[in-house]
Amino acid sequence: MGDIIEMNGIVKIFPPNLVALDDVSVTFREGEIHAIVGENGAGKTTLMKILYGMQPADSGEIILRGEKVKFSDPGEAIASGIGMVHQEILLIPEYSVWENVVLGNEPVKFLDHLDSKKAREQVKAKIKEFHFNLDPDTKVADISVAARQKVEILKLLFRNVSVLIMDEPTSVLTPQEIPQLFSELKRLRDNGHTIMFISHHLDEVLDLSDRITVLRKGKKIGTIEAREATKTGLAQMMVGRKVIFESIRKAQKPGDILFEISNLNYTDADKKPRLQNIHLQVRAGEIVGIAGVEGNGQLELVNVIMGLIEPQSGTISAMGQDVIPQSILEKRKKIAFVSQDRGNMSACLPARITENVIMTHHRLNPRFTSLGGKVLNFKQANQFTLEVQEIFDVQMTSGETLFRSLSGGNQQKVILGRELLLDAPFILLDQPTRGLDVGSIEYVHKQITTMRSKQRGILLISADLEELFRLTDRLIVMHRGRIVADLVTDKTNITEVGYLMLEGMTYEA
Amino acid sequence: MKIVIGLINGMLTAATPILLAALGGSMTYYAGIFNIAMEGMMLSGAFFAVLGSYYFHSWLVGILFAILGAILMALIFVLFAVVLKMDEFITGIGLNLLSLGLTTYMLRQIFKVKGAFSSLEIVPIPKIDIPLIKDIPIIGDVISGQNLIVYLTVLAVIIVHYLVFKTRFGLRLRAAGYNRTCLDTSGVSANRIRIISLLICGILCGLAGAFLSLGYVTVFTEGMSAGKGWISLAAVILVSGSPKGIALISLLFGFTDGLGLFMQRTMPPQFTSMVPYIATLIALFVYSIRLKKKQKIIGA
């Protein structure tokens, strides 16, 4: 296979002085799946946005099929056969699948009349050609995230794109949906499409790609053949030092019961039982993990604990008090909480970093207010932001910048910093490392185990089994709203838990 | 019978400018622009209609001037809200105030009068008699003999509906309203769509203005749009932009307006002129109850 795209000496500087890409040169071969890996902020997405014409490079050149090109907007890139599927899915939920696919490339009859019959036929043909399991007439609002992603890919294929850039496509998928995406991507490659795949999940990268380019802090570390690569080797290239994947717990005797749920039941508005007869305990100095396929009651459990939905029966007690009737502020004195929904529940994206850092603290800690809680003390708040930045190693310019300007990993570090410094005895973590890179995950894990040694009780909900096995003392498996197993982590294994997650019972041969 | 015909004709007269402006608002509503400047565009249209008709002794030039005058306002909106990315609401308020001040100023500077300018040299927009139909009793009195703009308005309802729901432009227009970034990444400039929708809004508001000052009267008075642009905005929001819904609401408003005039025979005019606004409030109330019921069925 010949080379299709050469990117030579790409430099990108974000004013005033952030060097996002420092003289990066990558060559892509026709018909390969080429993974671009690196930590958050390594410049993966920036590199691809430059190729796609979304951002101009400060210097360097792009050579497409032997000719020098420069795209000033994505439209030009698409016309040259390069398409990009973004991390956040950009579709119109109110439109049907076919309307979304043809938007911008619509067939018309006289008087600009949309030829919907022809459009549907064309979309149907494309769906058939690529074996996508989609109905052109369903509204996008009614289909799953995985299906929406397919619509995005289809939209590009409809424009006869031969180079597909996928920006962290698996970050929005559930673990069950990933294999299907991968087999579709592989089929596209076998049809001669070139795929660039941005990711920081090393297992995925090794599974899917043919070659791997590693970026670190804006510099290219190297391009290697995937079959010659190992997970530890890649991680070391990404982070620049050795990363340990083994369990990091030290033996420690758990203390008193801090948090207890008993006989909890929740039925939703559609009369569907979402949580049934939940019993669980978390002791001081203990990390309890909740494993389960997404949608088996984990979200409802979190929402019930935090008081976002009201259970029909049962009690939840923290520090010996029933917290269900208590106000959110009272709950927050006992429960630190990291939501899986960073942008909506954990933080206020358009607010400044400092404002996000002192949320809840400003009600609980008199240090941040004066005049009896009426006026915020920004001197103390700024000081606190610096403390969080220091302790949690947040990459940011100043607390005055907007929270949204931080990368995902740094956003999560700020949130973790805020929650863990609340001094609440019980910590509820819902997917705390989702979307983070290896280095950040390692860091977050370290912080969680530090909290354990400080005798906090931690309930960790995660879709990542490796994470659970690395951190937890006990593992609770949820299946269809019930707890089907309460296991000691050291006495079980991934296969057993995986089976319990899928089947809801122990495998019996 | 005469009363009924009078009421219907009164309804059409009152509904026409609101309907036209609301159709313009519908275009910008679908494009996702919070456009409250119909009032200002309409007023500017009304002034320039008189200006054109007076100096060129032609109602056609009057209509052209009206459209240009309203488009001038739309272009200012484009400059501030689309190009300079200022807040649409503030731009709209500024535009409405500018239009009021500008037309009043020009009225005094150009025509050297205060309050109102009327002259025999202003040529009104003609009424159209439809042959055959005009001879049918009752129906002929309603369907035939209306002002040209009234017929254009009926046409405009159909055209706007077609444009929004049946054409490629409409698909892109609504896409701009739903998700601008999505449209941009599909290779269509959302800003271009937004600008076109504002210009169409300008044209329709210009026609509305021309109807005000060259329709049944030939006069320009200061602030003669008198809140009709705001009512059209209410109509747009009430029916979420639907051109058919807008037509219905405008007719309802026109009907109550005519009813108010009719009631003046027995009641003080200050009271009867409240009727349309009370009707609007009642419509809002009914609508909100219906919406609540709907939501309950969905089970939200």
Side-chain angles (χ1 to χ4, degrees):
Chain A
M1 296 272 178
D3 294 344
I4 182 164
I5 294 170
E6 268 180 64
M7 296 182 81
N8 289 331
I10 303 290
V11 175
K12 176 76 189 174
I13 297 165
F14 289 112
N17 53 8
L18 180 68
V19 182
L21 291 170
D22 183 3
D23 194 17
V24 172
S25 302
V26 194
T27 306
F28 300 98
R29 291 184 196 144
E30 193 155 11
E32 72 169 348
I33 297 182
H34 193 127
I36 314 239
V37 300
E39 294 194 90
N40 288 324
K44 300 166 298 206
T45 304
T46 309
L47 185 70
M48 288 299 108
K49 280 185 174 168
I50 287 171
L51 175 59
Y52 192 47
M54 283 176 79
Q55 279 170 357
D58 291 314
S59 77
E61 56 172 14
I62 300 169
I63 292 162
L64 173 67
R65 295 192 176 93
E67 273 173 56
K68 203 172 155 180
V69 287
K70 194 165 194 176
F71 306 126
S72 51
D73 64 62
E76 291 179 25
I78 292 174
S80 301
I82 299 174
M84 180 159 172
V85 176
H86 299 270
Q87 225 167 329
E88 67 277 30
I89 289 173
L90 281 173
L91 292 172
I92 293 170
E94 291 86 351
Y95 279 3
S96 68
V97 167
W98 72 261
E99 283 172 320
N100 268 290
V101 170
V102 299
L103 183 65
N105 256 21
E106 311 88 339
V108 280
K109 294 187 283 195
F110 59 97
L111 281 177
D112 200 47
H113 194 292
L114 189 66
D115 193 344
S116 40
K117 206 175 141 200
K118 193 169 162 195
R120 283 190 60 244
E121 293 297 315
Q122 287 174 348
V123 172
K124 244 187 186 160
K126 279 283 171 195
I127 291 175
K128 220 172 146 195
E129 183 184 341
F130 293 102
H131 304 276
F132 281 3
N133 181 21
L134 286 169
D135 174 8
D137 293 315
T138 5
K139 255 193 183 178
V140 164
D142 298 333
I143 63 179
S144 70
V145 176
R148 289 180 199 193
Q149 202 171 45
K150 267 189 243 175
V151 177
E152 287 255 29
I153 298 172
L154 192 66
K155 192 171 163 177
L156 292 170
L157 296 173
F158 188 76
R159 289 158 168 75
N160 293 319
V161 154
S162 60
V163 178
L164 262 180
I165 305 169
M166 307 282 302
D167 189 0
E168 302 199 17
T170 56
S171 63
V172 291
L173 299 182
T174 60
Q176 293 74 42
E177 292 166 330
I178 292 172
Q180 205 192 353
L181 171 73
F182 282 10
S183 65
E184 267 148 13
L185 290 180
K186 281 174 184 164
R187 188 169 336 112
L188 283 175
R189 172 195 59 193
D190 297 340
N191 281 346
H193 290 79
T194 307
I195 292 160
M196 293 156 199
F197 174 76
I198 301 179
S199 179
H200 46 235
H201 291 287
L202 299 178
D203 292 317
E204 287 174 2
V205 166
L206 289 168
D207 174 18
L208 181 69
S209 47
D210 301 308
R211 290 198 306 155
I212 303 165
T213 292
V214 182
L215 298 180
R216 189 203 313 153
K217 291 190 177 150
K219 287 202 170 83
K220 179 182 154 179
I221 304 301
T223 299
I224 49 176
E225 297 284 330
R227 57 189 135 75
E228 289 163 14
T230 62
K231 197 174 163 186
T232 24
L234 275 180
Q236 201 165 341
M237 282 171 83
M238 270 169 72
V239 184
R241 62 188 152 77
K242 226 169 162 223
V243 180
I244 307 146
F245 286 100
E246 286 76 50
S247 170
I248 48 173
R249 275 173 296 123
K250 288 191 204 85
Q252 179 178 318
K253 214 174 146 76
D256 301 331
I257 296 172
L258 286 182
F259 179 82
E260 186 167 18
I261 294 178
S262 49
N263 200 22
L264 188 76
N265 289 285
Y266 169 70
T267 308
D268 69 10
D270 294 332
K271 305 255 182 294
K272 270 195 193 139
R274 294 291 180 186
L275 293 173
Q276 295 183 58
N277 206 16
I278 302 287
H279 288 270
L280 69 87
Q281 293 175 340
V282 181
R283 290 171 180 275
E286 185 184 42
I287 303 178
V288 177
I290 292 188
V293 176
E294 234 164 300
N296 275 281
Q298 299 95 318
L299 190 63
E300 286 80 3
L301 183 66
V302 169
N303 286 343
V304 167
I305 294 174
M306 294 318 295
L308 296 169
I309 51 179
E310 212 176 308
Q312 273 75 17
S313 65
T315 56
I316 301 172
S317 68
M319 313 300 292
Q321 299 171 19
D322 185 6
V323 293
I324 293 180
Q326 289 185 344
S327 69
I328 301 280
L329 195 64
E330 278 302 315
K331 282 183 200 169
R332 298 285 275 139
K333 286 180 186 167
K334 304 172 202 91
I335 307 175
F337 171 49
V338 175
S339 162
Q340 62 166 293
D341 189 352
R342 244 190 333 251
N344 287 316
M345 296 248 297
S346 288
C348 177
L349 295 180
R352 286 172 288 161
I353 296 171
T354 304
E355 288 167 326
N356 271 291
V357 166
I358 61 161
M359 279 177 196
T360 313
H361 289 268
H362 76 292
R363 297 287 300 276
L364 296 178
N365 191 340
R367 170 186 164 194
F368 297 111
T369 48
S370 50
L371 293 179
K374 299 285 186 293
V375 177
L376 285 177
N377 183 338
F378 271 100
K379 208 174 151 199
Q380 287 293 331
N382 291 334
Q383 180 60 35
F384 186 56
T385 309
L386 293 180
E387 286 168 32
V388 170
Q389 179 180 9
E390 172 81 27
I391 304 173
F392 289 86
D393 188 31
V394 183
Q395 305 292 318
M396 60 183 221
T397 46
S398 122
E400 291 304 301
T401 43
L402 297 187
F403 189 79
R404 96 156 22 113
S405 68
L406 292 174
S407 71
N410 284 312
Q411 290 185 356
Q412 191 72 344
K413 282 180 185 174
V414 170
I415 293 161
L416 262 163
R418 177 186 73 209
E419 293 300 323
L420 298 184
L421 293 176
L422 268 179
D423 288 328
F426 174 65
I427 302 170
L428 175 62
L429 303 170
D430 187 7
Q431 317 282 5
T433 57
R434 172 173 289 178
L436 301 195
D437 57 67
V438 190
S440 301
I441 289 175
E442 197 193 16
Y443 194 84
V444 170
H445 285 178
K446 231 181 246 164
Q447 293 297 333
I448 295 173
T449 46
T450 311
M451 287 297 135
R452 175 174 172 272
S453 54
K454 285 186 180 163
Q455 291 296 314
R456 309 279 184 88
I458 297 160
L459 187 62
L460 170 70
I461 294 155
S462 176
D464 182 352
L465 275 180
E466 271 184 48
E467 174 169 274
L468 290 172
F469 272 89
R470 200 171 168 215
L471 292 171
T472 61
D473 299 291
R474 282 194 298 124
L475 255 179
I476 285 168
V477 185
M478 284 189 78
H479 183 256
R480 302 205 173 152
R482 293 172 191 275
I483 290 179
V484 293
D486 188 341
L487 311 159
V488 176
T489 309
D490 290 337
K491 290 183 181 155
T492 179
N493 54 58
I494 287 197
T495 330
E496 185 187 16
V497 174
Y499 198 85
L500 279 163
M501 281 167 61
L502 290 173
E503 301 295 327
M505 56 181 114
T506 323
Y507 177 75
E508 281 165 52
Chain B
M1 207 63 237
K2 238 184 171 171
I3 293 171
V4 174
I5 293 169
L7 269 178
I8 292 177
N9 282 332
M11 169 174 86
L12 291 178
T13 311
T16 299
I18 293 168
L19 178 48
L20 276 172
L23 287 172
S26 164
M27 294 300 292
T28 52
Y29 179 89
Y30 282 115
I33 302 167
F34 191 54
N35 174 14
I36 59 164
M38 279 91 80
E39 178 82 11
M41 293 185 193
M42 206 196 289
L43 185 61
S44 171
F47 176 82
F48 282 99
V50 163
L51 190 74
S53 179
Y54 177 76
Y55 280 111
F56 292 89
H57 305 291
S58 152
W59 55 267
L60 194 62
V61 176
I63 289 180
L64 277 178
F65 265 56
I67 290 174
L68 288 176
I71 280 184
L72 175 75
M73 291 291 147
L75 284 175
I76 297 175
F77 197 102
V78 166
L79 174 66
F80 282 93
V82 181
V83 180
L84 300 174
K85 297 188 171 59
M86 290 299 298
D87 187 86
E88 289 159 358
F89 188 73
I90 306 288
T91 308
I93 288 181
L95 216 56
N96 287 339
L97 292 174
L98 171 75
S99 181
L100 181 63
L102 193 69
T103 51
T104 306
Y105 175 74
M106 287 195 292
L107 177 74
R108 293 177 189 182
Q109 285 301 309
I110 298 173
F111 298 115
K112 309 286 182 211
V113 288
K114 272 187 183 177
F117 175 70
S118 183
S119 158
L120 290 173
E121 311 217 359
I122 306 174
V123 185
I125 299 167
K127 292 182 176 179
I128 307 285
D129 280 328
I130 304 172
L132 294 176
I133 290 178
K134 76 172 179 183
D135 299 325
I136 306 171
I138 304 169
I139 296 175
D141 289 333
V142 175
I143 297 201
S144 174
Q146 298 290 354
N147 193 287
L148 172 69
I149 301 269
V150 175
Y151 297 110
L152 285 181
T153 306
V154 177
L155 206 63
V157 175
I158 298 165
I159 291 175
V160 168
H161 180 85
Y162 176 79
L163 212 54
V164 171
F165 294 108
K166 302 284 176 205
T167 64
R168 173 171 63 182
F169 172 75
L171 190 75
R172 294 173 175 184
L173 177 79
R174 285 176 291 137
Y178 285 132
N179 188 341
R180 214 185 295 176
T181 330
C182 174
L183 187 63
D184 276 327
T185 53
S186 304
V188 180
S189 159
N191 276 345
R192 227 192 94 212
I193 299 285
R194 283 151 58 83
I195 290 170
I196 294 172
S197 82
L198 276 164
L199 292 180
I200 296 175
C201 179
I203 293 171
L204 291 166
C205 288
L207 285 175
F211 182 77
L212 286 183
S213 61
L214 298 181
Y216 287 90
V217 290
T218 47
V219 63
F220 178 82
T221 36
E222 289 171 14
M224 78 181 301
S225 52
K228 291 190 175 62
W230 294 105
I231 294 164
S232 71
L233 176 69
V236 172
I237 294 173
L238 197 62
V239 297
S240 311
S242 151
K244 286 179 192 163
I246 284 171
L248 212 68
I249 296 277
S250 304
L251 285 177
L252 175 78
F253 187 86
F255 176 73
T256 50
D257 194 69
L259 197 68
L261 284 176
F262 177 66
M263 280 157 64
Q264 271 184 27
R265 295 179 184 184
T266 49
M267 273 183 254
Q270 289 84 352
F271 181 79
T272 55
S273 54
M274 290 191 326
V275 171
Y277 305 98
I278 293 171
T280 308
L281 285 177
I282 293 171
L284 268 172
F285 184 71
V286 172
Y287 177 77
S288 86
I289 289 174
R290 264 186 40 204
L291 203 71
K292 257 188 198 155
K293 270 192 191 154
K294 221 188 212 168
Q295 277 168 348
K296 259 189 201 146
I297 292 164
I298 293 163

